[in-house]
Amino acid sequence: MLDHLIKGATVVDGTGAPGFVADVGIRDGRIAVVAESGKVAEEARSAEDASGLVLAPGFVDPHTHYDAQLFWDPYATPSLNHGVTTVAGGNCGFTLAPLNPEQPGDADYTRRMMSRVEGMSLVALEEGAPWTWNSFGDYLGALDGRIAVNAGFMVGHCALRRYVMGAEAVGGQPTPEQLDRMIGLLKDAMDAGAWGLSTTQSSSHSDGDGEPVASRHAKPAELIALSKAVGEYEGTQIEAIVAGCLDQFSDDEIELFVDMSAAAGRPLNWNVLTIDASVPERVPRQLEASERARKSGGRIVALTMPILTPMNMSLGTFCALNLIPGWGEILALPVDERIAKLRDPDVRGEMLRRADSKEAGVFRRLANFGRYVIGDTYSEANEGLSGRVVNDIAAERGQEPFECLVEICANDGLRTVLWPMPTDNDPDSWALRAETWNHEDVMLGGSDAGAHLDRMCGAPYTTRFIGDCLRGRKLLGLEEAVKMLTDDPAQLFGLRERGRIQEGWHADLVLFDPETIDAGKATLLHDLPGDSPRLDSKAIGITAVWVNGVEAMRGDVVSGAVPGKVLRSGADTRTVSTK
């Protein structure tokens, strides 16, 4: 007997093939039958009429930071709401494990680092996760049987360094013995099911003390040695970030990525490829790394987002503005001193010069302050400004845009929420995106779901992208769009029997209305441990989501079931060849 029968849906199976009307039966967590409508003879415990709806494989998000959130939110919201059934975590070199039991301060260091570098609430990290683990295997075991999505995790280079080198991980170089211990620790993690190694050398990544995170101090020889260890295990990967990911790679960065992938014989993915027609040289330069890797026996895959993800800014809290060269020191001052500096015309002039310079890289896109929209305000002086564009307010007041913005924020004690209008929302940029998405070494993703919780909400990229393909710009057909969200990431990670609707495969499924599927406007909630804030977005047009054959979500409401599985390398992933 079937557990559930979905009747008359338009099946878009993830392969890119044309959709077809069929009945799909689920039994014991698997897709038991895909047959012409009305031709399934086997009885089912439950059934539903899905006429006019689309049934697709569950979406796979290749870049998340749900490592901590899954402990207080096993549903990985809002990703599950938007049809995501499998998430990849442990990215950017940052994981919660392993923790050295002989260094009891490491858990606190890790929490403060994650709070700074990934924008996670420190209170939520302290109160929402148990922190009972030492080994990476212990960490995975703490999630077993308690999550509603499937989740796999890389092991973070920063955690490996901290475990072996202690405080010397920041600024120090490992001895040969320490490097051997690091490699052994990485192997222990992969024995336990880690998907491979993640690392960062990005200048944007600092720990809770404001120092460059541990992996940024690693030299190429260390990274190559760890990469070789990755290649000894089945179903593994590398994920890596360097400063050039934000704009354009240097020759040394390309060489490092190529050497790491070739040494492991495994794919290396990085994020995020920013596509902007006003910088036409960026995409060819970034994809040069992929071309060189193929010649050297490696493979480098760029993640790119298929939507424009709104990200709010603030002069009062740490955000992307702090990463503009020369801005971090000013924005780190106490509020009163910060306001005084920002009101100084000479200081503002130098800040604007640095923000619009080549050294600012991709952050140059944040420098047009006239195109910022005022979000939430907190003072009587700013009443009525929410939703207005700074250029308009500045013109009324006879001020320069940045001066105007500073005064608005100063009135709120720098609490004002700012929304920069995208600079790359033009037809040429969208045409370039559509062209780039079809490159064999480009994959959709980079949501950062689970991180930067009160600053951005990338998780809904799945529903917004499909809605755009169906009713918006229509840059792709539905079948190709679904393939990019399902089979493509499943194939990159070597997920066993996931990413397609096929008899015998795991029943990770999403049922949606093609006439309405979309994502709602991002809204701020205070539902994390300690009432900490996060941005959320309602799923529109998602009828139901099944994970391993169990209904996990219906009508944007979680079912309460936790059918997800911790996906372990080897057992749940196969090796993906780089040849």
Side-chain angles (χ1 to χ4, degrees), residues 370-500:
R371 286 176 54 83
Y372 277 55
V373 176
I374 302 299
D376 295 340
T377 62
Y378 299 89
S379 66
E380 187 176 335
N382 288 338
E383 189 173 341
L385 295 185
S386 293
R388 297 198 61 194
V389 179
V390 170
N391 259 338
D392 297 337
I393 303 169
E396 292 171 3
R397 297 181 177 183
Q399 294 176 314
E400 292 298 318
F402 189 42
E403 176 190 10
C404 178
L405 182 145
V406 164
E407 288 306 314
I408 293 169
C409 293
N411 289 336
D412 285 334
L414 302 187
R415 296 172 63 202
T416 318
V417 175
L418 307 169
W419 293 94
M421 296 168 64
T423 60
D424 49 358
N425 194 20
D426 58 287
D428 288 344
S429 291
W430 283 107
L432 181 57
R433 287 187 184 99
E435 177 187 342
T436 306
W437 295 338
N438 287 311
H439 191 283
E440 60 183 337
D441 291 317
V442 172
M443 190 171 70
L444 302 190
S447 74
D448 260 2
H452 313 294
L453 297 175
D454 63 344
R455 290 275 163 248
M456 60 176 281
C457 190
Y461 77 97
T462 51
T463 50
R464 187 165 287 137
F465 172 55
I466 289 180
D468 197 36
C469 288
L470 287 169
R471 302 182 308 279
R473 297 174 187 85
K474 300 181 181 179
L475 298 175
L476 292 172
L478 174 61
E479 289 83 358
E480 188 62 24
V482 167
K483 179 178 182 292
M484 288 179 172
L485 296 174
T486 58
D487 193 51
D488 284 357
Q491 290 291 331
L492 177 70
F493 291 126
L495 299 183
R496 296 186 186 273
E497 299 171 335
R498 297 186 192 275
R500 298 180 186 177

Side-chain angles (χ1 to χ4, degrees), residues 8 221 273 347:
L273 175 60
V347 172

Side-chain angles (χ1 to χ4, degrees), residues 310-385:
M311 180 179 292
N312 67 43
M313 303 291 161
S314 167
L315 295 178
T317 56
F318 188 88
C319 68
L321 293 173
N322 296 64
L323 303 178
I324 298 173
W327 283 52
E329 307 88 82
I330 295 169
L331 298 184
L333 293 170
V335 170
D336 288 345
E337 295 179 37
R338 201 180 318 169
I339 291 174
K341 283 282 188 184
L342 290 167
R343 279 178 163 157
D344 184 325
D346 293 335
V347 172
R348 285 201 309 273
E350 177 62 11
M351 291 175 74
L352 288 173
R353 186 191 70 78
R354 297 288 296 276
D356 199 37
S357 67
K358 185 171 177 57
E359 65 176 333
V362 74
F363 296 113
R364 289 195 300 272
R365 68 205 345 248
L366 299 177
N368 189 346
F369 293 99
R371 286 176 54 83
Y372 277 55
V373 176
I374 302 299
D376 295 340
T377 62
Y378 299 89
S379 66
E380 187 176 335
N382 288 338
E383 189 173 341
L385 295 185

